[in-house]
Amino acid sequence: MSKSVIEMPPKGGFSFDLCKRNEMLAKKGVSPPSFRKTGTTIVGLIFQDGVILGADTRATEGPIVCDKNCEKIHYMAPNIYCCGAGTAADTEAVTDMVSSQLQLHRYHTGRESRVVTALTLLKRHLFNYQGYVSAALVLGGVDVTGPHLHTIYPHGSTDTLPFATMGSGSLAAMAVFESKYKEGLTRDEGIKLVTEAICSGIFNDLGSGSNVDICVITKGGKEYLRNHLQPNPRTYTSSKGYSFPKKTEVLLTKITPLKEKVEIIEGGDAMEE
Amino acid sequence: MSIFEYNGSALVAMVGKNCFAIASDRRLGVQLQTIATDFQRISKIHDRLFLGLSGLATDAQTLYQRLVFRHKLYQLREERDMKPETFANLVSAILYEKRFGPYFCQPVIAGLGDEDKPFICTMDSIGAKELAKDFVVAGTASESLYGACESMFKDDMEPEELFETISQALLSSVDRDCLSGWGGHVYLVTPTEVKERILKGRMD
């Protein structure tokens, strides 16, 4: 009698069962694939009413731009947002996971989430994996204790700052912040400064590009300005486009009509005994 | 040699007006030797959802079987088909689970969602989703495909024009890639029918 192992959906967490095979392939000279990274310029600053976060929108796979308009500002809680740089799958997975944990925590406590809660959940997870989960984050939000801005590094260390930048374009953006930041900025001044910092990353860093996304979080609520500025529009498309007079040769065509959706009529006759 | 270049593949999906098209090449090779010229890379999950898997063929087949299993369980529990967005999340979660020992596949998901709105998405081998509004590409020919699609794509194309565009983009890109080719396989899906066509390409 053969032992059959029922393939049940796993309980959660990472599964390492393909590691041995992948190591064997690596020894045979097969190089592992490169993962999609978000080269990135991400920034955050504290202004007089709250926090402003900014990010560019380019995702790269090696030297190729694979997404010209991706979203790098992730939702954590109604009053907390997080920008992510590093391996795209890691930033998405980590922010999604902590966002769900914060929601459960809100149900348990019945209170609005605090930024330090998100910070601790993220840093514990990242430290646990000793930097192998390659996510560098800028976390910002406004809670009962006031506005907060933190940076989290892939190994799990954190900093609490009035203005912060991360990613490959962080030096370009930090240069702008260091010269123009002052305390007590108004909303419009803050947005203008963040836009300038991200643009500096977009134009000077090769790993960042495309558009500027901004998120303004205040005590009253949040404003997500997706594609607030688009300094790189596509102006060279020809208006007539391509036309293909000589059609592609087709060897075989198979047409499958799709089933019509059946309408269920409510209140039909009841079954009689 | 990269693991993705072991078998060779080319996949592209494009969005049109209330329709989408997904296309792949047909070659299966073992490095530089061609061992099949009719390999199916695109599989149907349900009537309005197609999945293409590029990369290592063995991992593509295993991953496909796992996903069909999960979708069938879902159908039994929910008594309906999975929406394309939900399916994309499922694929992303299954790939990220293997973050430190991944499947060497890049999926391309294409489906018609609510109100017949087309949905396309691709991911890297650990599940980082890329939702595009126009086209997505994967495989060894991806660099040529990016270029071809970027110039040939137009918004809101009718089904027949979309078919012509995706076929031209696919065939011109695989012609510049040694590891993919031997024709093309195009699925054009509209709310009323699925048209599957096999294209004649260069056989080298």
Side-chain angles (χ1 to χ4, degrees), chain B residues 68-157:
Chain B
V68 158
F69 167 71
R70 295 294 295 266
H71 182 251
K72 282 185 177 170
L73 267 181
Y74 183 92
Q75 276 179 323
L76 286 171
R77 288 194 183 117
E78 301 256 335
E79 290 182 5
R80 64 184 176 93
D81 290 329
M82 241 192 216
K83 281 193 220 168
E85 295 86 356
T86 315
F87 186 72
N89 269 323
L90 173 69
V91 180
S92 177
I94 286 180
L95 289 173
Y96 192 71
E97 203 197 343
K98 303 252 185 285
R99 163 71 172 89
F100 298 114
Y103 285 117
F104 298 125
C105 292
Q106 273 184 315
V108 167
I109 295 158
L112 280 178
D114 290 331
E115 277 135 44
D116 299 335
K117 192 163 176 297
F119 171 87
I120 52 171
C121 149
T122 185
M123 289 166 213
D124 68 353
S125 55
I126 48 174
K129 274 194 303 241
E130 187 209 316
L131 310 161
K133 296 200 172 62
D134 39 19
F135 59 86
V136 291
V137 302
T140 47
S142 61
E143 292 182 23
S144 311
L145 277 165
Y146 274 124
C149 293
E150 191 74 57
S151 38
M152 293 183 195
F153 181 81
K154 283 198 299 250
D155 279 319
D156 282 335
M157 282 188 278

Side-chain angles (χ1 to χ4, degrees), chain A residues 2-271:
Chain A
S2 60
K3 237 196 222 171
S4 56
V5 179
I6 301 167
E7 191 61 59
M8 286 306 292
K11 288 196 184 68
F14 291 124
S15 126
F16 297 93
D17 53 0
L18 289 178
C19 285
K20 224 173 174 179
R21 174 201 75 158
N22 292 0
E23 225 179 279
M24 182 270 294
L25 283 169
K27 273 207 199 82
K28 292 210 169 152
V30 172
S31 63
S34 69
F35 304 135
R36 183 165 301 150
K37 292 193 172 279
T38 49
T40 310
T41 307
I42 46 174
V43 306
L45 63 69
I46 295 189
F47 71 112
Q48 66 185 24
D49 299 323
V51 171
I52 305 180
L53 298 172
D56 74 306
T57 60
R58 174 183 281 183
T60 53
E61 200 158 21
I64 306 288
V65 176
C66 54
D67 195 349
K68 293 190 283 188
N69 206 359
C70 69
E71 278 188 38
K72 298 188 191 177
I73 306 185
H74 307 284
Y75 168 87
M76 301 286 271
N79 58 325
I80 307 173
Y81 273 73
C82 184
C83 307
T87 304
D90 287 333
T91 57
E92 274 179 41
V94 141
T95 49
D96 267 347
M97 183 190 76
V98 172
S99 170
S100 309
Q101 287 178 339
L102 284 175
Q103 176 79 61
L104 283 170
H105 195 249
R106 279 202 291 284
Y107 283 135
H108 275 298
T109 57
R111 286 179 171 72
E112 189 189 57
S113 295
R114 297 194 189 192
V115 184
V116 285
T117 317
L119 179 71
T120 310
L121 289 168
L122 285 164
K123 69 149 76 178
R124 293 257 166 92
H125 180 84
L126 291 175
F127 180 74
N128 203 10
Y129 287 95
Q130 288 291 296
Y132 281 95
V133 175
S134 173
L137 309 164
V138 168
L139 176 73
V142 178
D143 55 31
V144 285
T145 47
H148 296 277
L149 180 68
H150 305 281
T151 50
I152 308 163
Y153 289 82
H155 286 263
S157 60
T158 57
D159 282 317
T160 307
L161 300 160
F163 56 94
T165 65
M166 290 284 257
S168 55
S170 61
L171 271 67
M174 188 51 100
V176 172
F177 272 172
E178 285 288 5
S179 49
K180 297 192 181 167
Y181 180 82
K182 57 180 204 288
E183 284 185 18
L185 288 164
T186 64
R187 183 180 176 277
D188 289 328
E189 283 173 351
I191 290 180
K192 189 160 162 289
L193 184 56
V194 165
T195 311
E196 240 184 280
I198 300 285
C199 281
S200 150
I202 286 173
F203 294 122
N204 299 108
D205 174 43
L206 300 178
S208 318
S210 297
N211 314 313
V212 180
D213 280 352
I214 305 254
C215 186
V216 183
I217 311 171
T218 55
K219 208 160 163 197
K222 59 128 182 7
E223 228 187 295
Y224 187 28
L225 305 165
R226 170 86 168 131
N227 288 357
H228 171 71
L229 186 69
Q230 294 179 309
N232 295 302
R234 197 164 167 223
T235 48
Y236 49 84
T237 22
S238 114
S239 50
K240 17 187 196 98
Y242 275 81
S243 62
F244 303 107
K246 197 170 175 200
K247 305 263 177 226
T248 32
E249 275 185 70
V250 175
L251 292 172
L252 158 74
T253 309
K254 186 170 139 193
I255 303 179
T256 318
L258 291 180
K259 286 191 279 282
E260 287 276 318
K261 281 204 180 133
V262 178
E263 285 287 318
I264 299 169
I265 307 161
E266 292 284 335
D269 287 338
M271 271 179 22

Side-chain angles (χ1 to χ4, degrees), chain B:
Chain B
M1 183 207 59
S2 160
I3 189 62
F4 285 118
E5 288 165 19
Y6 188 74
N7 290 127
S9 50
L11 270 175
V12 56
M14 276 194 192
V15 162
K17 196 168 179 178
N18 284 341
C19 64
F20 69 85
I22 181 168
S24 75
D25 72 317
R26 306 187 76 210
R27 177 186 177 271
L28 176 70
V30 167
Q31 292 180 303
L32 295 175
Q33 184 187 42
T34 304
I35 55 174
T37 57
D38 56 0
F39 189 64
Q40 276 266 32
R41 284 205 166 83
I42 301 174
S43 346
K44 189 177 88 153
I45 302 290
H46 62 76
D47 278 339
R48 291 149 64 99
L49 178 59
F50 285 78
L51 169 73
L53 287 164
S54 70
L56 195 62
T58 169
D59 277 352
Q61 288 182 337
T62 306
L63 188 61
Y64 166 68
Q65 286 168 4
R66 285 236 157 104
L67 291 167
V68 158
F69 167 71
R70 295 294 295 266
H71 182 251
K72 282 185 177 170
L73 267 181
Y74 183 92
Q75 276 179 323
L76 286 171
R77 288 194 183 117
E78 301 256 335
E79 290 182 5
R80 64 184 176 93
D81 290 329
M82 241 192 216
K83 281 193 220 168
E85 295 86 356
T86 315
F87 186 72
N89 269 323
L90 173 69
V91 180
S92 177
I94 286 180
L95 289 173
Y96 192 71
E97 203 197 343
K98 303 252 185 285
R99 163 71 172 89
F100 298 114
Y103 285 117
F104 298 125
C105 292
Q106 273 184 315
V108 167
I109 295 158
L112 280 178
D114 290 331
E115 277 135 44
D116 299 335
K117 192 163 176 297
F119 171 87
I120 52 171
C121 149
T122 185
M123 289 166 213
D124 68 353
S125 55
I126 48 174
K129 274 194 303 241
E130 187 209 316
L131 310 161
K133 296 200 172 62
D134 39 19
F135 59 86
V136 291
V137 302
T140 47
S142 61
E143 292 182 23
S144 311
L145 277 165
Y146 274 124
C149 293
E150 191 74 57
S151 38
M152 293 183 195
F153 181 81
K154 283 198 299 250
D155 279 319
D156 282 335
M157 282 188 278
E158 294 295 324
E160 284 311 311
E161 205 193 338
L162 180 68
F163 164 73
E164 201 53 50
T165 309
I166 200 175
S167 309
Q168 292 280 353
L170 179 74
L171 290 176
S172 50
S173 305
V174 304
D175 284 350
R176 281 287 184 176
D177 178 29
C178 313
L179 301 166
S180 45
W182 285 83
H185 209 138
V186 184
Y187 288 82
L188 179 66
V189 182
T190 57
T192 49
E193 64 182 5
V194 170
K195 261 204 201 137
E196 179 192 336
R197 279 189 264 231
I198 297 182
L199 308 172
K200 181 165 147 77
R202 284 174 62 132
M203 304 208 282
D204 59 358

